[in-house]
Amino acid sequence: MSEAVYIETSILGYLTARSTKSLILAANMEITRDWWELRRKDFTLYISEAVLEEVAQGNPEIAAQRLEILHDFPSLALNQAVQGLASRFLARSNLPAKAEVDAIHIAAATVHGMDYLLTWNCKHIANAQIQGKLAEISLDFGYVLPVLCTPNELMGD
């Protein structure tokens, strides 16, 4: 059985991004596309309604591309357990109140037992200073926090 990966919105952003002169953004786009092409088949991929809502925003043409990529992905329920854990993350960690959707992504991946949450959001999600507290909160409620990582960290050998 393959490992489960929650695909957070920023991954779709990098997959469908227009070219840029920023070397860091261009590198992240390339890494994301490489992961998508070479590694995604090694995992079972999931999203949530929060991802669908976010990818539907912005430029209508690019939003349509993002939605098309996700059209067959299983969606994790944003049930009461997810909402409750997200609230606890916001109340007890150093996530700012404006990171409500980020807390929902993390909670959905946690409650539904994902192995990984794949993201480029290193401010509020794949952040070493935040992850320890999120892991502690998760354990307090009987869950194990998934590995919160970027595509670069999940490239394998």
Side-chain angles (χ1 to χ4, degrees):
M1 187 158 165
S2 66
E3 294 176 298
V5 177
Y6 179 93
I7 302 295
E8 188 267 335
T9 311
S10 61
I11 300 301
L12 283 300
Y14 278 98
L15 276 177
T16 59
R18 296 180 176 148
S19 62
T20 179
K21 292 183 180 190
S22 165
L23 295 178
I24 292 171
L25 293 178
N28 289 352
M29 288 165 53
E30 187 68 24
I31 291 165
T32 304
R33 290 176 182 145
D34 285 349
W35 186 88
W36 199 258
E37 181 180 319
L38 303 172
R39 292 284 288 157
R40 78 178 156 119
K41 66 187 176 301
D42 298 330
F43 302 95
T44 304
L45 307 181
Y46 295 87
I47 58 168
S48 72
E49 188 64 34
V51 173
L52 291 173
E53 288 176 13
E54 286 185 308
V55 300
Q57 297 174 11
N59 177 297
E61 183 179 315
I62 296 172
Q65 289 174 6
R66 293 188 295 254
L67 288 167
E68 177 60 27
I69 290 169
L70 297 176
H71 81 278
D72 284 334
F73 280 52
S75 184
L76 304 177
L78 299 181
N79 56 28
Q80 194 171 19
V82 170
Q83 297 295 335
L85 186 58
S87 294
R88 297 293 181 224
F89 284 157
L90 289 168
R92 293 182 47 197
S93 76
N94 46 352
L95 281 174
K98 69 179 180 180
E100 182 179 350
V101 177
D102 298 331
I104 289 171
H105 290 307
I106 300 164
T110 302
V111 167
H112 291 287
M114 299 289 102
D115 297 297
Y116 303 96
L117 185 160
L118 196 64
T119 184
W120 279 111
N121 181 339
C122 296
K123 186 171 186 175
H124 298 138
I125 300 177
N127 179 315
Q129 291 184 303
I130 294 174
Q131 285 186 47
K133 188 63 176 174
L134 294 174
E136 178 185 309
I137 296 164
S138 297
L139 284 175
D140 287 349
F141 289 90
Y143 300 108
V144 175
L145 186 74
V147 175
L148 310 176
C149 61
T150 66
N152 197 39
E153 296 170 297
L154 203 54
M155 281 302 285
D157 296 335

